[in-house]
Amino acid sequence: MLTQNEALNLYKKRNAYLKGHFKLSSGLHSEYYMQSAMVLQYPHDAYKLCSSIAEHFKDKKIDTVIAPAMGGVLVSYDVARALGENVKSIFAERVDGKLTLRRGFRIEKTDNVLIVEDVITTGKSVNETIDLVRTYTDNIVGIGVLADRGGNFDSKGLDYFPLIKLDIVNYEPDSCPLCKQGVPLEKPGSRFIKK
Ligand code: ZN
């Protein structure tokens, strides 16, 4: 099982933990951005990270691991792989903005379900996934994420395991010190800066 520092070092090694000036999907600005795809594109690294989440939940008799698409899909896949041969990995995707199970994916009423995600700030997608799973079963055993950026996510009493826990400050655009310094604003997904 990786320590937080070992996990963060994998992100840094693969340029998945970026320093600069970023516009987040929430519209807030931040000096740091976690681009999990940059590390998860290396399957050996992905498995090291995801099996560390699985290790925390290994005694919970999990039947199904679910993530909101896209960011969590690979996390769900490798966490389920590490949990054992009869554990399913599924994902929820948006139809008209609402998270839904498609492609024949099912959750049985008796399933023990683990929810996973790559990076969370406030956890909006994870909260929507909780609501979706609860329409099928009450047996949510926990929430596992690769990284929590420090957005005061409320796990509502569920067993919550962030492999990496950071406290990254986000800024309103009006009061962003990086804007004031004239640092060019990056919109992740369009281009990336090097370390
Ligand atoms: Zn800014």
Side-chain angles (χ1 to χ4, degrees):
M1 186 171 182
L2 299 176
T3 63
Q4 154 152 317
N5 270 343
E6 288 166 343
L8 188 58
N9 282 337
L10 277 183
Y11 268 75
K12 289 176 177 171
K13 176 182 168 190
R14 301 302 189 186
N15 283 325
Y17 180 70
L18 305 171
K19 188 171 189 294
H21 180 198
F22 301 98
K23 183 177 181 182
L24 306 177
S25 55
S26 59
L28 298 173
H29 292 194
S30 179
E31 190 176 5
Y32 295 95
Y33 189 77
M34 303 194 77
Q35 182 55 274
S36 297
M38 294 296 286
V39 65
L40 297 178
Q41 69 184 328
Y42 294 96
H44 278 80
D45 289 354
Y47 191 74
K48 280 185 206 164
L49 292 164
C50 294
S51 59
S52 298
I53 293 177
E55 179 71 21
H56 179 86
F57 293 101
K58 69 179 190 307
D59 298 326
K60 299 291 182 80
K61 297 187 166 60
I62 292 160
D63 300 292
T64 299
V65 184
I66 183 171
M70 267 298 296
V73 172
L74 292 174
V75 180
S76 171
Y77 192 84
D78 258 357
V79 169
R81 185 210 303 260
L83 283 170
E85 66 177 314
N86 291 315
V87 181
K88 287 192 298 188
S89 165
I90 64 175
F91 54 87
E93 54 202 305
R94 294 190 186 278
V95 177
D96 298 327
K98 192 170 159 46
L99 281 179
T100 310
L101 291 187
R102 300 182 65 202
R103 304 164 196 269
F105 289 153
R106 292 172 57 90
I107 297 171
E108 306 299 337
K109 197 168 179 49
T110 54
D111 279 0
N112 291 325
V113 179
L114 174 66
I115 295 169
V116 298
E117 174 65 300
D118 62 340
V119 178
I120 71 170
T121 303
T122 58
K124 181 168 175 287
S125 293
V126 166
N127 281 328
E128 289 178 55
T129 307
I130 292 171
D131 291 342
L132 172 67
V133 172
R134 283 187 171 150
T135 65
Y136 294 89
T137 179
D138 294 327
N139 306 335
I140 298 177
V141 301
I143 302 161
V145 302
L146 293 178
D148 180 331
R149 291 175 45 100
N152 295 317
F153 170 62
D154 176 6
S155 63
K156 301 184 185 72
L158 292 166
D159 181 1
Y160 174 52
F161 178 71
L163 181 58
I164 301 168
K165 180 80 176 74
L166 300 172
D167 202 4
I168 299 174
V169 180
N170 301 321
Y171 305 106
E172 295 290 344
D174 292 350
S175 56
C176 173
L178 300 160
C179 283
K180 289 199 175 75
Q181 292 163 33
V183 181
L185 184 65
E186 306 273 340
K187 190 156 185 233
S190 52
R191 69 198 170 103
F192 303 106
I193 55 163
K194 298 278 183 203
K195 285 195 279 205

